[in-house]
Amino acid sequence: RGPGEKQLETDRRLLNLRVKQIRQRLEGVRGRRALSRRSRERAEVPVISLVGYTNAGKSTLFNSLTGSDVMAENLLFATLDPTLRKVKLPTGLQAVLGDTVGFVRHLPHELVAAFEATLEESRLAELLLHVLDAADPERADKSAEVDQVLARIGAEQVPKLLVYNKIDALSDIEPRVDRDADGVATRVWVSALTGVGMDLLAEVIEERLAGRVEVFEIGIPWNAGAV
């Protein structure tokens, strides 16, 4: 055999070794996230996951809701590893908000394992915020693409709220909440960049997690300081 063939075999062996190492790292990441999820479950902290097509403004929305400074760029896969932050809702309920990788159309099968590892938080969340670019003429097609990936990772049954972001790019849209025939909020129109409508979004998130909240009136005597 010629030297070219031998080099090709060497390259193939090195690539196979690299694939094996990456798969081992993915399993390690899954294990660490499983431990984190068990801790949150014990503390009964609800988890909300941001999903959506790439460049829909998920990271900007994440920063606006949590007061964080996560990288938010108009780049493909600017977010690769899910970032988790605590978010405090209007009545004081605390939840964990996760920002995930942006979805793309016709994702190559070779990348599915890596992407599904980052999307496990979505499958186990109590509420999905599906972020859409309100100014994108292809938003319906991209929304369907996201739904297909959610179904593939087993997250199609997780309650979902559509968040139409970037209304600042549209002159005829005001922040609002759309509801279905039963009065359940299904869509919220906001601009994460300008902050318009973000108060509505926080209220609707809390409304959708309402089963988590119970209100009590407790009377404590002035001399019961130990209580």
Side-chain angles (χ1 to χ4, degrees), residues 7-80:
Q7 183 61 50
L8 199 64
E9 290 174 352
T10 300
D11 291 344
R12 185 180 292 117
R13 185 169 60 254
L14 291 174
L15 285 171
N16 286 335
L17 178 62
R18 179 71 175 143
V19 168
K20 183 179 178 181
Q21 291 172 340
I22 290 173
R23 283 179 174 158
Q24 289 173 342
R25 286 175 56 196
L26 283 171
E27 288 304 317
V29 167
R30 285 194 179 101
R32 288 193 297 275
R33 288 189 190 139
L35 286 173
S36 297
R37 279 193 295 270
R38 283 197 291 272
S39 297
R40 292 196 297 270
E41 287 167 2
R42 282 196 297 270
E44 297 186 346
V45 177
V47 177
I48 306 160
S49 184
L50 290 173
V51 297
Y53 212 80
T54 192
N55 296 337
K58 295 189 309 306
S59 294
T60 304
L61 191 80
F62 179 87
N63 289 338
S64 182
L65 282 170
T66 63
S68 300
D69 191 23
V70 171
M71 178 184 178
E73 297 286 348
N74 187 26
L75 296 171
L76 190 63
F77 311 144
T79 302
L80 276 173

Side-chain angles (χ1 to χ4, degrees), residues 80-227:
L80 276 173
D81 196 48
T83 305
L84 302 173
R85 293 287 186 277
K86 187 183 293 183
V87 58
K88 192 171 183 178
L89 298 169
T91 64
L93 174 68
Q94 290 189 342
V96 170
L97 183 66
D99 186 18
T100 60
V101 65
F103 291 43
V104 291
R105 191 171 298 161
H106 307 310
L107 183 68
H109 293 299
E110 293 80 2
L111 296 178
V112 169
F115 276 71
E116 287 185 359
T118 71
L119 293 168
E120 283 181 344
E121 293 294 342
S122 301
R123 183 168 56 84
L124 299 169
E126 294 189 39
L127 178 66
L128 297 179
L129 301 185
H130 182 172
V131 185
L132 297 158
D133 183 347
D136 187 348
E138 296 185 350
R139 71 188 187 202
D141 292 338
K142 291 178 178 179
S143 176
E145 197 76 25
V146 170
D147 287 340
Q148 288 178 16
V149 178
L150 289 175
R152 190 163 65 201
I153 65 171
E156 71 274 19
Q157 299 301 322
V158 180
K160 183 170 61 177
L161 175 66
L162 298 177
V163 181
Y164 285 82
N165 189 25
K166 302 188 182 182
I167 63 170
D168 55 291
L170 301 169
S171 59
D172 58 340
I173 298 293
E174 294 293 326
R176 70 174 192 268
V177 179
D178 296 339
R179 299 179 181 273
D180 62 17
D182 296 322
V184 177
T186 56
R187 290 186 294 270
V188 186
W189 300 74
V190 304
S191 169
L193 185 64
T194 65
V196 173
M198 294 302 294
D199 54 340
L200 290 175
L201 177 58
E203 290 171 7
V204 169
I205 291 172
E206 193 164 58
E207 181 184 313
R208 294 292 299 266
L209 295 173
R212 282 278 186 171
V213 180
E214 289 187 64
V215 179
F216 296 91
E217 260 188 43
I218 302 174
I220 301 175
W222 66 269
N223 58 353
V227 175

